[in-house]
């Protein structure tokens, strides 16, 4: 179960730097589910590209279930923008002298930009995302291999993996020989 203390401990463990989000940090536990694992977070301002509007400073958080942005205004209104992790296709950041901008692409919206992020925290989020993406790709490869029932379908799936750059030409040729019994 997430508590205010556990959230602060996580923030401290990852070197989370904040200037304007102490209110969000103190109440973040209220929007996290018990089985949610937090991987990375950074402070910044949400800019919705399709609306061209800024939200104010908040916390961008990557968990095992979602990417979310949490902002609490001075007058008490709360903004929570969340995107299920399986709808996120890419997370990247542009490193600046003092601050970074984090770019998130999701199926539900075109692009979400978190501006004025801490360079280290934004970089960590991208590294964690790459790890999640690699695990997702491995799972898809395993599923593709398991569901192939005939040699031609299996060869096509391995060929597609080679074309996508997931496996090398040598790995493909080795698997091809194995499938064909050569």
């Amino acid at each position: 179960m997430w508590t205010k203390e556990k959230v602060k401990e996580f923030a401290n463990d990852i070197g989370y730097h904040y200037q304007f989000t102490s209110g969000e940090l103190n109440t973040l536990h209220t929007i996290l589910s018990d089985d949610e694992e937090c991987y990375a977070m950074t402070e910044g301002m949400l800019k919705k590209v399709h609306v061209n509007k800024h939200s104010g400073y908040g916390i961008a958080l990557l968990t095992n279930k979602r990417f979310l942005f949490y902002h609490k205004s001075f007058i008490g209104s709360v903004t929570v923008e969340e995107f299920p992790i399986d709808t996120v296709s890419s997370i990247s950041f542009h490193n600046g002298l003092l601050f970074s901008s984090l770019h998130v692409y999701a199926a539900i919206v075109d692009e979400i930009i978190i501006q004025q992020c801490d360079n280290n925290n934004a970089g960590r989020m991208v590294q964690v995302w790459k790890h999640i993406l690699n695990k997702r790709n491995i799972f898809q490869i395993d599923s593709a291999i398991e569901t192939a029932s005939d040699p031609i379908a299996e060869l096509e799936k391995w060929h597609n993996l080679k074309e996508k750059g997931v496996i090398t030409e040598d790995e493909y040729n080795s698997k091809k020989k194995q499938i064909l019994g050569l």
Side-chain angles (χ1 to χ4, degrees):
M1 175 177 236
W2 285 99
T3 63
K4 180 168 62 170
E5 292 75 23
K6 283 187 179 181
V7 169
K8 286 186 174 185
E9 182 180 327
F10 167 72
N12 188 50
D13 288 347
I14 65 167
Y16 175 71
H17 300 285
Y18 64 93
Q19 294 178 328
F20 307 107
T21 56
S22 61
E24 287 87 348
L25 196 60
N26 286 330
T27 56
L28 183 61
H29 68 281
T30 63
I31 62 169
L32 294 172
S33 61
D34 291 343
D35 61 342
E36 199 160 13
E37 297 174 36
C38 294
Y39 296 141
M41 71 178 167
T42 189
E43 177 181 81
M45 286 193 311
L46 174 71
K47 178 182 178 189
K48 294 181 188 177
V49 174
H50 60 284
V51 182
N52 202 18
K53 179 179 158 186
H54 287 82
S55 67
Y57 274 92
I59 294 175
L61 180 69
L62 182 62
T63 76
N64 62 322
K65 295 184 174 196
R66 58 189 168 157
F67 174 86
L68 69 90
F69 182 81
Y70 176 53
H71 168 68
K72 191 175 171 187
S73 73
F74 293 117
I75 58 172
S77 64
V78 172
T79 301
V80 178
E81 295 278 345
E82 59 184 314
F83 309 95
I85 196 73
D86 59 349
T87 66
V88 176
S89 60
S90 175
I91 298 177
S92 62
F93 82 105
H94 301 274
N95 201 357
L97 290 175
L98 297 175
F99 297 104
S100 299
S101 61
L102 194 64
H103 298 256
V104 180
Y105 298 88
I108 301 168
V109 296
D110 183 27
E111 180 182 23
I112 305 112
I113 300 175
I114 310 296
Q115 296 180 320
Q116 298 182 347
C117 302
D118 174 77
N119 287 335
N120 293 329
N121 290 319
R124 175 185 166 84
M125 190 170 291
V126 170
Q127 288 175 337
V128 169
W129 170 251
K130 287 178 181 178
H131 180 73
I132 291 169
L133 193 57
N134 285 337
K135 287 176 82 175
R136 181 190 293 175
N137 287 340
I138 288 169
F139 176 74
Q140 289 172 344
I141 290 168
D142 289 345
S143 295
I145 293 167
E146 288 172 8
T147 58
S149 58
D150 67 281
I152 294 171
E154 194 167 345
L155 278 173
E156 286 175 349
K157 289 181 182 183
W158 281 97
H159 183 265
N160 288 338
L161 293 172
K162 179 188 73 149
E163 293 297 312
K164 291 178 183 177
V166 176
I167 63 171
T168 66
E169 181 79 29
D170 290 338
E171 290 170 321
Y172 169 73
N173 287 333
S174 174
K175 194 65 177 174
K176 180 178 169 182
K177 287 178 183 178
Q178 179 186 352
I179 293 168
L180 297 175
L182 301 175

Short mmCIF file of all heavy atoms in Angstrom, two decimals, residues 140-150 153-154 157:
data_model
loop_
_atom_site.label_atom_id
_atom_site.label_comp_id
_atom_site.label_asym_id
_atom_site.label_seq_id
_atom_site.Cartn_x
_atom_site.Cartn_y
_atom_site.Cartn_z
N GLN A 140 6.32 -10.40 -27.05
CA GLN A 140 5.68 -10.54 -28.36
C GLN A 140 6.39 -11.58 -29.21
O GLN A 140 5.75 -12.34 -29.93
CB GLN A 140 5.66 -9.18 -29.08
CG GLN A 140 4.68 -8.22 -28.46
CD GLN A 140 4.78 -6.82 -29.04
OE1 GLN A 140 5.75 -6.45 -29.70
NE2 GLN A 140 3.78 -6.00 -28.76
N ILE A 141 7.71 -11.65 -29.12
CA ILE A 141 8.46 -12.66 -29.86
C ILE A 141 8.08 -14.05 -29.38
O ILE A 141 7.79 -14.93 -30.17
CB ILE A 141 9.98 -12.43 -29.72
CG1 ILE A 141 10.40 -11.17 -30.47
CG2 ILE A 141 10.76 -13.63 -30.24
CD1 ILE A 141 11.81 -10.72 -30.14
N ASP A 142 8.05 -14.24 -28.05
CA ASP A 142 7.69 -15.53 -27.49
C ASP A 142 6.28 -15.93 -27.90
O ASP A 142 6.03 -17.09 -28.24
CB ASP A 142 7.79 -15.52 -25.96
CG ASP A 142 9.23 -15.47 -25.47
OD1 ASP A 142 10.16 -15.73 -26.27
OD2 ASP A 142 9.42 -15.16 -24.28
N SER A 143 5.35 -14.98 -27.88
CA SER A 143 3.97 -15.27 -28.28
C SER A 143 3.90 -15.65 -29.74
O SER A 143 3.17 -16.56 -30.12
CB SER A 143 3.08 -14.06 -28.02
OG SER A 143 3.00 -13.79 -26.65
N ALA A 144 4.64 -14.94 -30.57
CA ALA A 144 4.64 -15.24 -32.00
C ALA A 144 5.18 -16.63 -32.26
O ALA A 144 4.67 -17.37 -33.10
CB ALA A 144 5.47 -14.20 -32.76
N ILE A 145 6.21 -17.02 -31.54
CA ILE A 145 6.82 -18.34 -31.72
C ILE A 145 5.86 -19.43 -31.24
O ILE A 145 5.70 -20.45 -31.91
CB ILE A 145 8.16 -18.42 -30.98
CG1 ILE A 145 9.17 -17.49 -31.65
CG2 ILE A 145 8.70 -19.85 -30.96
CD1 ILE A 145 10.42 -17.24 -30.83
N GLU A 146 5.22 -19.21 -30.10
CA GLU A 146 4.33 -20.22 -29.54
C GLU A 146 3.09 -20.46 -30.40
O GLU A 146 2.58 -21.57 -30.46
CB GLU A 146 3.90 -19.82 -28.13
CG GLU A 146 5.01 -19.94 -27.11
CD GLU A 146 4.62 -19.36 -25.76
OE1 GLU A 146 3.44 -19.00 -25.57
OE2 GLU A 146 5.49 -19.26 -24.90
N THR A 147 2.58 -19.40 -31.05
CA THR A 147 1.34 -19.55 -31.80
C THR A 147 1.55 -20.09 -33.20
O THR A 147 0.60 -20.44 -33.87
CB THR A 147 0.58 -18.20 -31.87
OG1 THR A 147 1.44 -17.23 -32.49
CG2 THR A 147 0.15 -17.73 -30.50
N ALA A 148 2.78 -20.16 -33.65
CA ALA A 148 3.04 -20.69 -34.99
C ALA A 148 2.85 -22.20 -34.96
O ALA A 148 3.52 -22.91 -34.24
CB ALA A 148 4.44 -20.34 -35.44
N SER A 149 1.92 -22.70 -35.81
CA SER A 149 1.64 -24.13 -35.78
C SER A 149 2.18 -24.86 -37.00
O SER A 149 2.43 -26.05 -36.95
CB SER A 149 0.13 -24.38 -35.66
OG SER A 149 -0.53 -23.76 -36.74
N ASP A 150 2.35 -24.16 -38.13
CA ASP A 150 2.90 -24.84 -39.29
C ASP A 150 4.23 -24.18 -39.68
O ASP A 150 4.47 -23.03 -39.36
CB ASP A 150 1.89 -24.82 -40.45
CG ASP A 150 1.64 -23.43 -40.97
OD1 ASP A 150 0.87 -22.67 -40.32
OD2 ASP A 150 2.21 -23.10 -42.02
N ALA A 153 4.14 -20.69 -41.59
CA ALA A 153 3.75 -19.57 -40.72
C ALA A 153 4.88 -19.22 -39.77
O ALA A 153 5.16 -18.03 -39.52
CB ALA A 153 2.48 -19.92 -39.94
N GLU A 154 5.55 -20.25 -39.24
CA GLU A 154 6.65 -20.00 -38.32
C GLU A 154 7.81 -19.30 -39.04
O GLU A 154 8.40 -18.36 -38.51
CB GLU A 154 7.12 -21.31 -37.69
CG GLU A 154 8.02 -21.08 -36.50
CD GLU A 154 8.23 -22.34 -35.66
OE1 GLU A 154 7.47 -23.31 -35.81
OE2 GLU A 154 9.17 -22.31 -34.87
N LYS A 157 6.96 -15.62 -39.52
CA LYS A 157 7.09 -14.84 -38.30
C LYS A 157 8.55 -14.55 -37.98
O LYS A 157 8.90 -13.43 -37.60
CB LYS A 157 6.41 -15.56 -37.13
CG LYS A 157 4.90 -15.51 -37.28
CD LYS A 157 4.19 -16.18 -36.15
CE LYS A 157 2.70 -16.11 -36.41
NZ LYS A 157 1.90 -16.66 -35.37
#
